[in-house]
Amino acid sequence: MTRPWPRNLAGQMALLIALALFVAQAINFGLVLRDRIEFRLSQATRPVATRIADALDREAHGGRPLTADRGRVRRLPADPIRRIGDERHPEVAAELRRQLADQGVTVGRIDTGLQPSTLDDDSDRDNRRRAGIRRGERDGATLLIAVEQPGRGWLTITAPWPQPGARLLFALLSQTAILYIIVLLPVLWIVRRLSRPLRDLRVAAERFRPGEPGAPMPAEGPDDVAALITAFNALRLRVTGMLDEKDRMLGAIGHDLRTPLAALRVRIESVEDDTDRAKMIDTVAEMNRTLDDILSLARLGRPSEPPTDVDLAALVDAVVEDFRDIGSEVSFVEADRLRMRLRPSLMRRAVRNLIENAVKYGVSAEVRVEAGARSVAIVVADQGPGIPEDRMGDVFDAFTRLESSRNRETGGIGLGLALARAIVREAGGEIRLVNRAPSDQAGGGLDAIIELPR
């Protein structure tokens, strides 16, 4: 499973800022909720403590005695909350006891009960009326408080108990939405502008091909991004200069090696023994082919041949015809015309190397072109022993051969497959080697497959 985390810089910064805003709003919500709870507790206890203290003081100094049917503070013989059975709030009782003690009022137990906003039951209505809940208070949530006076009954009084409800949540959500709009959208715009030079730099790095003309990138963005772009431009110049120097060096090496080989080839013609002369000529030809492979592999990153539209089936058929002309047992399965855009000389070299391997190790080769909806495959099938599965990747390494004798009769110096894979990858394709099972109609062998995108 992939994590739901953006991969680009703008997305990650936007997500981090959004998470930071969310955490800040969550902390703000907690602080507001705590203040609301403290305010509600103070609103419910301070007026109640003052009214109870004043009522008891008036009663003690000859005022009207507290009764069960009138007044804000009423006296009942029993705890009405126990009969009503409403929700208790011990934090209100504890705070009220502390405030009554500050005013010099000593009480017994303190009970509380939250009254629902709707009164449906007749007995509950009578109990609340006896407890002194007025009509306006019965329409909303109120807190019934009962304070015990040992030996004198219970003092009851009501206090407002506002509920947080959806109003506070809606206000906080609206505040969060406005904060996101005011803060996050401009930040997203700024981040995208800051990350645009980085995106352009990534595209330039992906498209960079040594030797191809291209203007340097403008150094835009913040100082560190502009410095990175400047360093990339300098690096591109250095890479191009190094490759130019390498090409000049390879050209000099090729010239210095081919000149003595050509002179040696001329001198070989004066050898009288036909057998020795033929062997020497083959040796010089092998040295020339090896030199061509080494120089081609070294120069592959900067091919001088431009891509052109060619008929791939005709190209492969021409390579097979060259092998048939020299007596090799190579066949081609006829295929329809297939237009492809590639470098024809390099692709012929890759196909020729695969066929040479098939002829050397598998006696004969059958070549076919298979066209698919999205790719084209050039299959070179031989009748040889195949390759061990654990050595499939090794044969593509330069100067690597499964047969280590270096005998010209069993192969060259191990550059054929390495050069073929480099050519195919430069064209955007890939080479696969697949062993055929001995039970197949072809009797086993190896399939060397060039896959090119259409």
Side-chain angles (χ1 to χ4, degrees):
M1 295 180 62
T2 58
R3 296 180 179 178
W5 182 262
R7 304 297 298 271
N8 58 344
L9 177 62
Q12 291 185 7
M13 291 187 66
L15 181 59
L16 289 176
I17 294 174
L19 290 176
L21 290 176
F22 177 79
V23 171
Q25 283 299 97
I27 295 174
N28 181 46
F29 178 77
L31 294 176
V32 170
L33 188 60
R34 187 189 67 178
D35 292 342
R36 180 91 176 197
I37 292 174
E38 292 178 354
F39 172 77
R40 183 173 61 179
L41 184 61
S42 174
Q43 187 181 33
T45 55
R46 289 181 182 176
V48 169
T50 301
R51 288 171 183 170
I52 290 177
D54 291 345
L56 292 177
D57 185 66
R58 287 194 304 269
E59 188 182 44
H61 289 82
R64 180 169 56 86
L66 300 176
T67 61
D69 56 355
R70 59 183 300 177
R72 280 186 171 273
V73 182
R74 305 184 182 188
R75 190 186 301 278
L76 297 178
D79 182 4
I81 299 177
R82 292 187 177 276
R83 288 179 292 172
I84 296 174
D86 289 328
E87 176 185 343
R88 286 347 190 234
H89 285 275
E91 72 279 5
V92 176
E95 178 65 18
L96 181 59
R97 184 182 300 278
R98 187 185 65 81
Q99 294 189 16
L100 288 174
D102 291 342
Q103 300 191 37
V105 178
T106 304
V107 296
R109 291 181 297 155
I110 298 179
D111 202 0
T112 60
L114 184 64
Q115 310 299 309
S117 58
T118 303
L119 303 177
D120 296 329
D121 188 79
D122 292 339
S123 60
D124 282 351
R125 187 180 296 110
D126 294 339
N127 289 332
R128 300 174 203 278
R129 187 168 51 252
R130 286 196 298 271
I133 302 177
R134 294 191 294 249
R135 177 178 298 275
E137 293 171 335
R138 290 200 300 268
D139 293 338
T142 57
L143 187 66
L144 176 61
I145 302 174
V147 179
E148 182 187 21
Q149 278 191 300
R152 300 185 63 188
W154 290 76
L155 301 176
T156 62
I157 187 173
T158 60
W161 190 256
Q163 300 293 323
R167 186 174 182 180
L168 176 62
L169 181 62
F170 177 75
L172 289 173
L173 291 178
S174 301
Q175 180 184 5
T176 302
I178 294 174
L179 188 62
Y180 270 69
I181 294 174
I182 295 177
V183 175
L184 193 58
L185 291 183
V187 167
L188 282 175
W189 181 76
I190 294 173
V191 169
R192 286 184 63 85
R193 284 185 59 87
L194 293 178
S195 61
R196 184 175 59 187
L198 291 177
R199 294 196 304 270
D200 296 339
L201 179 61
R202 175 184 60 83
V203 173
E206 291 175 349
R207 294 178 178 177
F208 173 61
R209 295 294 183 271
E212 294 184 359
M217 284 189 60
E220 300 176 342
D223 291 343
D224 49 355
V225 177
L228 178 62
I229 295 175
T230 302
F232 171 76
N233 290 331
L235 177 63
R236 182 167 62 177
L237 292 176
R238 290 198 302 271
V239 170
T240 302
M242 292 169 57
L243 291 176
D244 289 339
E245 182 63 25
K246 184 201 72 171
D247 288 345
R248 287 192 293 268
M249 181 183 66
L250 290 175
I253 292 175
H255 178 270
D256 292 344
L257 290 178
R258 283 195 175 94
T259 299
L261 286 176
L264 182 61
R265 177 70 176 79
V266 172
R267 293 181 181 180
I268 289 174
E269 296 296 335
S270 62
V271 177
E272 296 181 356
D273 188 277
D274 293 340
T275 302
D276 291 341
R277 186 172 61 252
K279 289 181 179 180
M280 292 178 184
I281 292 174
D282 290 342
T283 301
V284 172
E286 182 67 23
M287 293 175 67
N288 275 312
R289 285 194 297 270
T290 301
L291 181 60
D292 288 340
D293 286 344
I294 294 175
L295 294 179
S296 298
L297 189 60
R299 289 173 172 168
L300 193 58
R302 289 156 53 102
S304 58
E305 181 187 26
T308 56
D309 290 332
V310 298
D311 181 0
L312 184 62
L315 183 147
V316 175
D317 189 16
V319 176
V320 172
E321 189 64 28
D322 291 340
F323 278 92
R324 284 201 293 259
D325 290 343
I326 60 176
S328 298
E329 190 177 345
V330 182
S331 62
F332 176 70
V333 178
E334 293 297 330
D336 295 334
R337 294 173 58 87
L338 186 62
R339 303 297 297 180
M340 296 284 291
R341 186 170 184 80
L342 43 81
R343 306 181 196 275
S345 296
L346 290 178
M347 190 55 59
R348 276 194 293 267
R349 186 68 172 273
V351 176
R352 184 167 62 248
N353 287 357
L354 294 185
I355 297 176
E356 284 180 353
N357 276 0
V359 173
K360 288 175 182 177
Y361 298 105
V363 181
S364 63
E366 179 188 84
V367 185
R368 59 185 184 273
V369 177
E370 300 175 350
R374 298 183 178 180
S375 63
V376 176
I378 304 172
V379 183
V380 179
D382 63 35
Q383 304 297 323
I387 298 176
E389 295 293 337
D390 58 344
R391 300 296 306 277
M392 284 289 189
D394 297 340
V395 296
F396 288 108
D397 296 335
F399 305 105
T400 298
R401 291 180 54 200
L402 299 184
E403 199 278 320
S404 59
S405 66
R406 300 294 181 188
N407 186 348
R408 285 194 299 115
E409 299 300 327
T410 58
I413 62 172
L415 284 179
L417 288 179
L419 180 59
R421 184 173 68 171
I423 292 173
V424 172
R425 285 185 173 178
E426 194 273 338
E430 190 56 79
I431 287 185
R432 294 187 297 112
L433 300 180
V434 180
N435 287 318
R436 294 194 307 273
S439 58
D440 289 349
Q441 184 178 358
L446 180 73
D447 285 349
I449 305 172
I450 297 177
E451 292 182 342
L452 298 173
R454 299 198 65 169

